[in-house]
Amino acid sequence: MEPCSVARTRAASAFAEALRNFQPGKPAWVLGHNDADGLAATALFARALEQAGWTVRTRIVGRGETPWSAAMREELADEPAGGMVITDLGVRNSLPKPGIATVVVDHHVPGDAPAGATVISGYGQDPIPTSSLLAFWCAGAVADAEDWLWLAALGLIGDMAEKAGFPEMEAARRFGITALRDVVALVNAPRRSASGDANAALRLLMVADGPKDVLSGRWPEIAVLQAARSEVKRELEAARRVAPLVRDEVALIRFASPTQIHPLIAQQWRSRLKNKIVMAANTGYRPGWVHFAVRSGDDRDLVAFLAEHRPAGADEMYGSGHRQATGGALRTEDWNAFIAGLGFGQSASVVTAAPG
């Protein structure tokens, strides 16, 4: 296992080399996930590329979206692009804009690498660096990134790697650990809200000088984040009262909320049902779909578990993520087949409303 210092050098070198293939005079695109880690990574890449002289376009990939879909390829088909960075969105054998230089920076369990792209992955390292930490390492190859260390720390905290032993996390404590944790909670709130729009969070991370500046109140985006956090808190309190259904090794907590609280509910029950695979299923998040998060209190490979029980209609939104933190989304009919295969009866199924 290579030391972090070696991994940092390798990531920075690979990014600098890939950037040589970007076409000057056209925008550099950054596509990122809408959680704290993805937003921080997106902000780091955007800041670094702007400092290096590029015009930068950003696109947060949010609710019900994936960069690997036909819809994303269609959206970006006519957009000018000199190159693209895709971060915290997994690795798939596909590209949202084929034919341009692309760098994929990620730390989840990877799929097959897309042909022609540069993949910078933290998966397999011990500990596994988050996408934001990988982005910080890459940013240092083209810009003076040290003042942006706090952004890397947001992703480390948000993806539960705060205590993994990364020296960058220890160094980032100078920004104030309480402030860093408060910012993580705030920037995670919009993507969990009913709107799912995390662009205000990204704008704030693009302009603020540090976590205390984020929390200062001088930026208008903070009101949007605070409202989203209050909304999520209300929905979370209601969902916490739902009792689990247990069949064999799986504990199912099913509820309906327009907010993305299923990962939080799964994480909370994980510590209470330590010998179970905990599945929090949200039937109200997106019409016609069930979104679910899977966690476990023991050392289970949950990606492998979902692969073993994969229903026929599952797509690229099913079963990606981390070995012990995964989930997905299934259309209601596929959910019903999936949950029946796990031994649950009619009470766990979702009734689809008749048309008309």
Side-chain angles (χ1 to χ4, degrees), residues 39-75:
L39 291 167
T42 301
L44 277 159
F45 278 119
R47 286 184 179 222
L49 288 167
E50 285 181 347
Q51 192 178 105
W54 293 89
T55 298
V56 177
R57 298 279 301 277
T58 58
R59 171 65 159 84
I60 297 302
V61 180
R63 178 174 302 187
E65 296 183 321
T66 167
W68 322 113
S69 67
M72 188 64 71
R73 286 193 294 275
E74 183 178 349
E75 177 186 327

Side-chain angles (χ1 to χ4, degrees), residues 274-318:
K274 294 184 178 179
N275 63 338
K276 299 294 182 184
I277 294 173
V278 176
M279 186 177 300
N282 189 348
T283 63
Y285 186 57
R286 188 161 56 122
W289 292 77
V290 178
H291 285 248
F292 61 98
V294 185
R295 304 289 188 270
S296 177
D298 56 15
D299 188 26
R300 291 293 300 268
D301 187 338
L302 300 177
V303 172
F305 169 79
L306 289 184
E308 180 183 350
H309 295 279
R310 185 184 184 93
D315 61 15
E316 68 275 0
M317 295 181 66
Y318 175 91

Side-chain angles (χ1 to χ4, degrees), residues 109-178:
V109 179
D112 294 334
T118 298
V119 175
I120 300 173
S121 175
Y123 184 75
Q125 297 180 35
D126 186 16
I128 297 174
T130 59
S131 294
S132 59
L133 183 56
L134 291 168
F136 177 71
W137 292 348
C138 292
V142 297
D144 183 1
E146 287 304 314
D147 287 345
W148 306 331
L149 178 60
W150 64 279
L151 289 167
L154 297 183
L156 288 166
I157 294 169
D159 268 28
M160 297 178 289
E162 179 182 346
K163 298 180 180 179
F166 290 107
E168 288 87 354
M169 186 65 239
E170 293 308 306
R173 290 180 180 275
R174 71 176 186 267
F175 294 99
I177 192 63
T178 300

Side-chain angles (χ1 to χ4, degrees), residues 17-318:
E17 181 64 28
L19 203 58
R20 295 190 181 99
N21 296 318
F22 281 34
Q23 297 178 36
K26 295 182 179 180
W29 281 74
V30 185
L31 274 60
H33 191 218
N34 61 357
D35 68 356
D37 189 32
L39 291 167
T42 301
L44 277 159
F45 278 119
R47 286 184 179 222
L49 288 167
E50 285 181 347
Q51 192 178 105
W54 293 89
T55 298
V56 177
R57 298 279 301 277
T58 58
R59 171 65 159 84
I60 297 302
V61 180
R63 178 174 302 187
E65 296 183 321
T66 167
W68 322 113
S69 67
M72 188 64 71
R73 286 193 294 275
E74 183 178 349
E75 177 186 327
L76 297 174
D78 296 328
E79 294 285 354
M84 182 172 290
V85 179
I86 304 169
T87 185
D88 203 41
L89 291 162
V91 178
R92 295 287 184 273
N93 188 16
S94 176
L95 289 173
K97 196 167 177 65
I100 67 165
T102 303
V103 187
V104 181
V105 182
D106 193 69
H107 66 128
H108 302 93
V109 179
D112 294 334
T118 298
V119 175
I120 300 173
S121 175
Y123 184 75
Q125 297 180 35
D126 186 16
I128 297 174
T130 59
S131 294
S132 59
L133 183 56
L134 291 168
F136 177 71
W137 292 348
C138 292
V142 297
D144 183 1
E146 287 304 314
D147 287 345
W148 306 331
L149 178 60
W150 64 279
L151 289 167
L154 297 183
L156 288 166
I157 294 169
D159 268 28
M160 297 178 289
E162 179 182 346
K163 298 180 180 179
F166 290 107
E168 288 87 354
M169 186 65 239
E170 293 308 306
R173 290 180 180 275
R174 71 176 186 267
F175 294 99
I177 192 63
T178 300
L180 286 166
R181 291 170 182 160
D182 287 347
V183 171
V184 169
L186 276 173
V187 300
N188 264 331
R191 61 117 176 181
R192 297 194 190 282
S193 69
S195 74
D197 186 354
N199 283 290
L202 178 62
R203 289 195 300 271
L204 191 51
L205 297 185
M206 287 290 297
V207 297
D209 293 331
K212 293 178 181 177
D213 189 29
V214 170
L215 301 170
S216 68
R218 75 183 182 105
W219 302 105
E221 288 83 2
I222 194 71
V224 178
L225 273 60
Q226 289 171 334
R229 189 176 185 183
S230 296
E231 176 191 5
V232 171
K233 182 180 179 181
R234 290 192 302 269
E235 292 289 321
L236 191 57
E237 288 173 352
R240 280 175 176 154
R241 295 194 287 268
V242 177
L245 296 171
V246 179
R247 297 291 183 274
D248 298 325
E249 62 180 346
V250 179
L252 172 67
I253 302 97
R254 192 188 124 180
F255 55 90
S257 172
T259 59
Q260 191 189 44
I261 57 173
H262 33 286
L264 301 178
I265 293 296
Q267 186 65 22
Q268 289 173 4
W269 277 99
R270 169 184 175 271
S271 60
R272 298 172 64 181
L273 299 168
K274 294 184 178 179
N275 63 338
K276 299 294 182 184
I277 294 173
V278 176
M279 186 177 300
N282 189 348
T283 63
Y285 186 57
R286 188 161 56 122
W289 292 77
V290 178
H291 285 248
F292 61 98
V294 185
R295 304 289 188 270
S296 177
D298 56 15
D299 188 26
R300 291 293 300 268
D301 187 338
L302 300 177
V303 172
F305 169 79
L306 289 184
E308 180 183 350
H309 295 279
R310 185 184 184 93
D315 61 15
E316 68 275 0
M317 295 181 66
Y318 175 91

